[in-house]
């Protein structure tokens, strides 16, 4: 894998803007995303990282457990409005962003904007969600696309999902912190604690909790084969019959 210079340099941005690494929503994987809620809030397009977000690292096939969620995403946004920020998506059925510089380079951001502005119904930055498993590439890229402007008092007072999108004023950064295959675990451990530290230091917990409540569903339960599924009621029924 080539050295990601923009990704290595992005931590220095913490010196003057520590919030650049903060996601708006934290999920284990995309099964937790409420795509209907995102659509209702005005989000019309999505950018996905591939490795350990949709696929096993360095593979091109969707993780089987994500099939339903991935189908729902493409049906709600439309396949042309979902973009993979990687080099291949043969098995994923959506366009691939061909960029010379890796995330979170500004040239990569320019490529994203060029693609979504070229659609028949162009999609603006604040109508996008960026989903990925690394804070110094995916999350930083999403936050670099946000415009820092003062909000009107009227918008600030509103508490619905639309006002949350207006407060972001750019793509919604969604961090998937689960992994399908262990990779760079020391770095992931560091990222988790860094996000938590910056969140506490900038007093952002209550602000981020608003997004989490609206756009994230409960953590998906572990897969269990049908043959092993048994309810308490069913178990009690079996034991009752044996006693009789």
């Amino acid at each position: 894998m080539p050295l990601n210079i923009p990704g290595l340099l992005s931590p220095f941005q913490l010196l003057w803007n520590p919030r650049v690494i903060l996601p708006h929503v934290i999920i284990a994987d995309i099964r937790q995303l409420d795509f209907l809620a995102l659509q209702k809030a005005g989000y019309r397009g999505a950018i996905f990282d591939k490795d350990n977000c949709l696929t096993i690292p360095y593979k091109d096939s969707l993780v089987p457990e994500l099939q339903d969620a991935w189908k729902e995403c493409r049906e709600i946004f439309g396949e042309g409005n979902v973009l993979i920020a990687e080099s291949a998506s043969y098995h994923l059925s959506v366009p691939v962003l061909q960029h010379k510089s890796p995330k979170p380079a500004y040239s990569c951001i320019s490529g994203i904007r060029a693609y979504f502005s070229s659609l028949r119904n162009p999609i603006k930055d604040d109508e996008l969600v960026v989903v990925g498993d690394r804070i110094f590439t995916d999350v930083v890229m999403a936050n670099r696309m946000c415009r820092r402007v003062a909000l009107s008092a009227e918008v600030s007072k509103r508490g619905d999902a639309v006002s949350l999108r207006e407060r972001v004023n750019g793509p919604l950064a969604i961090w998937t912190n689960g992994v399908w295959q262990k990779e760079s675990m020391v770095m992931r451990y560091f990222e988790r604690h860094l996000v938590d530290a910056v969140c506490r230091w900038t007093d952002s917990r209550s602000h981020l909790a608003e997004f989490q409540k609206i756009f994230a569903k409960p953590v998906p339960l572990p897969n269990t084969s049908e043959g092993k599924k048994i309810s308490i009621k069913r178990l009690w029924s079996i034991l009752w019959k044996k006693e009789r």
Side-chain angles (χ1 to χ4, degrees), residues 25-41:
V25 179
I26 301 174
I27 55 175
D29 59 62
I30 66 169
R31 290 174 294 178
Q32 265 190 277
L33 271 183
D34 192 332
F35 293 106
L36 279 176
L38 289 168
Q39 184 188 51
K40 289 178 181 178

Side-chain angles (χ1 to χ4, degrees), residues 100-112:
K100 296 181 180 179
S101 300
K103 299 170 293 182
Y106 287 99
S107 58
C108 180
I109 291 174
S110 296
I112 289 171

Side-chain angles (χ1 to χ4, degrees), residues 200-220:
R200 284 187 279 106
W201 184 50
T202 58
D203 195 23
S204 301
R205 287 189 180 278
S206 59
H207 175 69
L208 299 181
E210 295 181 80
F211 296 92
Q212 195 79 15
K213 181 179 179 180
I214 294 174
F215 300 125
K217 297 186 289 189
V219 177

Side-chain angles (χ1 to χ4, degrees), residues 21-217:
I21 66 161
L22 290 183
H24 300 103
V25 179
I26 301 174
I27 55 175
D29 59 62
I30 66 169
R31 290 174 294 178
Q32 265 190 277
L33 271 183
D34 192 332
F35 293 106
L36 279 176
L38 289 168
Q39 184 188 51
K40 289 178 181 178
Y43 291 102
R44 300 174 48 228
I47 304 157
F48 283 86
D49 181 46
K50 186 176 76 70
D51 291 346
N52 250 328
C53 181
L54 298 175
T55 72
I56 299 295
Y58 315 116
K59 303 291 183 182
D60 196 27
S61 298
L62 182 71
V63 173
E65 290 85 347
L66 301 180
Q67 288 182 357
D68 290 341
W70 184 236
K71 180 182 178 182
E72 181 185 11
C73 172
R74 290 183 289 128
E75 287 177 347
I76 288 176
F77 290 135
E79 292 187 0
N81 294 347
V82 180
L83 189 67
I84 300 292
E86 290 291 343
S87 60
S89 69
Y90 180 77
H91 296 284
L92 300 178
S93 304
V94 296
V96 179
L97 175 66
Q98 301 292 340
H99 52 92
K100 296 181 180 179
S101 300
K103 299 170 293 182
Y106 287 99
S107 58
C108 180
I109 291 174
S110 296
I112 289 171
R113 285 174 169 153
Y115 173 80
F116 284 105
S117 63
S118 70
L119 297 176
R120 185 174 181 180
N121 295 310
I123 297 176
K124 298 179 292 185
D125 288 359
D126 65 352
E127 296 174 322
L128 290 170
V129 298
V130 176
V131 186
D133 67 318
R134 307 314 298 261
I135 62 170
F136 289 118
T137 54
D138 306 300
V139 173
V140 167
M141 183 180 73
N143 287 327
R144 281 181 176 179
M145 294 173 71
C146 294
R147 291 181 297 159
R148 308 297 176 185
V149 295
L151 297 175
S152 66
E154 180 184 352
V155 170
S156 298
K157 290 179 181 178
R158 287 160 51 192
D160 56 16
V162 175
S163 71
L164 291 181
R165 183 169 66 86
E166 291 170 337
R167 270 186 257 169
V168 175
N169 209 14
L172 189 74
I174 300 174
W175 181 35
T176 61
N177 61 8
V179 294
W180 296 102
Q181 179 175 296
K182 290 184 178 181
E183 178 194 43
S184 305
M185 299 309 293
V186 173
M187 185 61 181
R188 292 178 189 277
Y189 177 84
F190 169 73
E191 288 178 341
R192 285 172 184 259
H193 284 270
L194 182 60
V195 167
D196 185 63
V198 172
C199 195
R200 284 187 279 106
W201 184 50
T202 58
D203 195 23
S204 301
R205 287 189 180 278
S206 59
H207 175 69
L208 299 181
E210 295 181 80
F211 296 92
Q212 195 79 15
K213 181 179 179 180
I214 294 174
F215 300 125
K217 297 186 289 189

